[in-house]
Amino acid sequence: MTAPNVLNPHPPEFDRFLHASVGEDRNGYVVTVLSTLARLGFDPWKETAELVALGRDAARSRLGKLLARFPDVPTLASDHGKVAHELSQLLPEGRASGSPKRAASTVAVGRPGKNGAIWAALAIIFVLFQMFMVGGPGSGE
């Protein structure tokens, strides 16, 4: 049976946090945590898993430091601590995915075996296609 999250392998409990707003940029567009982390050069899901593993207080501190380094949202220069506190409340407790370590390993490693099966199926289809196109009876006679 196919897993329900094949198209989205990331833990769904991170969505509320990652899609939360950190503020508006200079053009008036809402910037999310996902966008902020990506613009800072982090993998948003991996960083979120690490924040969950840290615990709420340490996560709030780390998030505050990250937000302070983000120049695209002008209000973060003075409000990064308040925003970090509000955002840290949106982090999952870790029990939704079993444990913070499990969430981190899911994000870091992904789902083993899925990619190999897909590539094997594609290789078989390619070989069969080649056999039908090139090696069929009457070709070349």
Side-chain angles (χ1 to χ4, degrees), residues 2 7 23 37 51 70 72 78 89 91 111 118 133 141:
T2 305
L7 297 178
L37 292 173
L51 289 171
F70 189 65
D72 293 357
S78 60
Q89 300 303 311
L91 287 167
R111 295 194 173 149
I118 291 171
M133 293 304 290
E141 289 184 15

Side-chain angles (χ1 to χ4, degrees), residues 98-123:
S99 72
K101 287 183 181 178
R102 181 172 174 244
S105 68
T106 301
V107 172
V109 177
R111 295 194 173 149
K114 294 285 184 192
N115 288 337
I118 291 171
W119 284 112
L122 287 173

Side-chain angles (χ1 to χ4, degrees), residues 50-138:
E50 290 175 8
L51 289 171
V52 169
L54 287 175
R56 201 155 316 271
D57 290 336
R60 180 175 51 240
S61 175
R62 174 150 171 77
L63 193 54
K65 290 175 186 173
L66 291 173
L67 293 176
R69 292 179 19 203
F70 189 65
D72 293 357
V73 176
T75 58
L76 286 178
S78 60
D79 287 345
H80 64 272
K82 178 184 172 196
V83 174
H85 175 73
E86 292 171 0
L87 291 173
S88 68
Q89 300 303 311
L90 300 176
L91 287 167
E93 289 292 327
R95 67 180 178 270
S97 63
S99 72
K101 287 183 181 178
R102 181 172 174 244
S105 68
T106 301
V107 172
V109 177
R111 295 194 173 149
K114 294 285 184 192
N115 288 337
I118 291 171
W119 284 112
L122 287 173
I124 291 169
I125 291 169
F126 178 76
V127 169
L128 290 173
F129 177 76
Q130 289 296 318
M131 286 173 46
F132 287 122
M133 293 304 290
V134 177

